[in-house]
Amino acid sequence: MKICYNEFEPSPGLSPFVECYWLHSFEGGTKEESPVQKCLPIGMYEILFYLDENVGSILVNGQWELLPRSFFVGIYDNPVEWKMPGNGRLFGIRLKPETFYRLFDVPAASLYCAYSELNSFIGTAMESFQQGIYAKESIEEIIAQTEKYLANRLTIMERSRNYIVEAANLIRQAKGNITVEEVSNTVSVGMRQLQRSFKESMGTSPKSYVRIIRFRNALTWLNSKSEWSDITYDLGYADQAHFIREFRQFAGEA
């Protein structure tokens, strides 16, 4: 089976909300099945669409479950395993979690470490958009349609200061090498209020989000063949043993 994965940058106007768009393509025989795909925690929300008739399956509590054709994925703190039968394309919109409810006015906290069929979660707000991208073959056309839809959503947004947005951006800019107290002080919000609002808006605590973002950056550095000792120091782990424990937890390794 031939498997391809590509990421695409959003337009400048949408980059505060969208990290990237991506396309995962599978080309195989009718009875062929892909190797198990493993997604590691990255600290983002995603809206996913199977563009063709075939849909994949996800491993939940040791059982394979058929995925919906379109679905929303919350923040995960553990690996997710899934697989794809035959031919198919999976299109993803990777959203910065602190901006999701500003785009859709839907609380996503209930979907921490979980997924949901899109229409049952967001409602029918995206139904016409979904039908539009299913009819398109070109990824350029799909992204153009997506950008048009999201830009329209932005016109109804409230543009007031939002300290959750500022806090999440600060954590990512620091690559997770920051304390919750430092975040609280920088955005000028009390620790308890920050923790409560962060949990309500994003489904996870600021401390957990710091750990996920730090793991994501550690994974990127490892892929660039950086030394473990350098990663431990630069990302603020207490020591190498601390780094190894965190890495094993988020990577799902014993």
Side-chain angles (χ1 to χ4, degrees):
M1 176 177 284
K2 181 180 178 182
I3 302 175
C4 295
Y5 173 83
N6 293 289
E7 294 183 355
F8 308 88
E9 291 186 1
S11 61
L14 287 169
S15 60
F17 306 89
V18 180
E19 183 178 82
C20 71
Y21 309 107
W22 54 263
L23 183 68
H24 209 155
S25 301
F26 299 80
E27 296 180 20
T30 305
K31 296 183 179 180
E32 193 173 1
E33 191 173 72
S34 74
V36 173
Q37 307 294 297
K38 189 173 185 178
C39 297
L40 299 178
I42 59 173
M44 295 287 163
Y45 288 162
E46 294 193 300
I47 300 176
L48 308 180
F49 305 88
Y50 282 105
L51 300 175
D52 310 294
E53 293 301 321
N54 279 345
V55 299
S57 299
I58 186 172
L59 188 63
V60 179
N61 298 323
Q63 301 291 323
W64 288 102
E65 294 182 0
L66 199 64
L67 285 162
R69 192 172 182 190
S70 60
F71 56 104
F72 173 82
V73 178
I75 293 175
Y76 273 80
D77 63 7
N78 53 75
V80 176
E81 294 184 341
W82 63 285
K83 58 186 178 180
M84 184 72 190
N87 294 311
R89 297 173 300 157
L90 181 61
F91 173 64
I93 306 171
R94 185 171 296 159
L95 295 162
K96 297 175 182 179
E98 71 278 8
T99 65
F100 175 80
Y101 74 97
R102 297 176 67 197
L103 282 168
F104 296 101
D105 195 28
V106 177
S110 62
L111 286 181
Y112 183 66
C113 291
Y115 72 93
S116 175
E117 195 275 328
L118 194 58
N119 286 348
S120 66
F121 179 62
I122 295 179
T124 59
M126 298 186 77
E127 194 166 355
S128 60
F129 163 69
Q130 293 177 62
Q131 296 305 316
I133 64 171
Y134 290 152
K136 291 179 168 48
E137 290 292 330
S138 161
I139 184 61
E140 290 78 16
E141 289 183 296
I142 292 168
I143 291 173
Q145 189 78 11
T146 302
E147 294 245 307
K148 180 180 179 181
Y149 173 79
L150 293 177
N152 287 337
R153 296 295 305 179
L154 292 184
T155 62
I156 61 173
M157 277 182 47
E158 181 182 4
R159 296 189 177 276
S160 60
R161 175 184 181 252
N162 189 295
Y163 61 84
I164 297 299
V165 173
E166 295 175 23
N169 276 325
L170 185 62
I171 291 168
R172 288 196 296 270
Q173 289 166 5
K175 296 181 170 59
N177 187 7
I178 191 169
T179 66
V180 177
E181 184 177 7
E182 289 172 328
V183 174
S184 172
N185 291 336
T186 302
V187 301
S188 302
V189 171
M191 289 273 286
R192 288 187 179 180
Q193 182 178 345
L194 176 66
Q195 291 168 346
R196 181 175 60 252
S197 299
F198 212 94
K199 182 79 172 178
E200 290 173 353
S201 298
M202 297 176 54
T204 185
S205 68
K207 183 177 180 180
S208 293
Y209 194 65
V210 164
R211 293 174 62 215
I212 291 169
I213 294 302
R214 184 163 57 177
F215 162 77
R216 183 182 183 183
N217 281 278
L219 186 64
T220 300
W221 288 17
L222 277 177
N223 288 335
S224 67
K225 300 182 179 179
S226 297
E227 296 292 334
W228 283 47
S229 57
D230 293 338
I231 297 171
T232 300
Y233 175 78
D234 290 336
L235 291 181
Y237 289 99
D239 50 38
Q240 193 161 318
H242 178 209
F243 168 51
I244 292 171
R245 283 197 306 273
E246 294 256 304
F247 191 90
R248 284 177 172 171
Q249 176 184 340
F250 289 122
E253 304 292 339

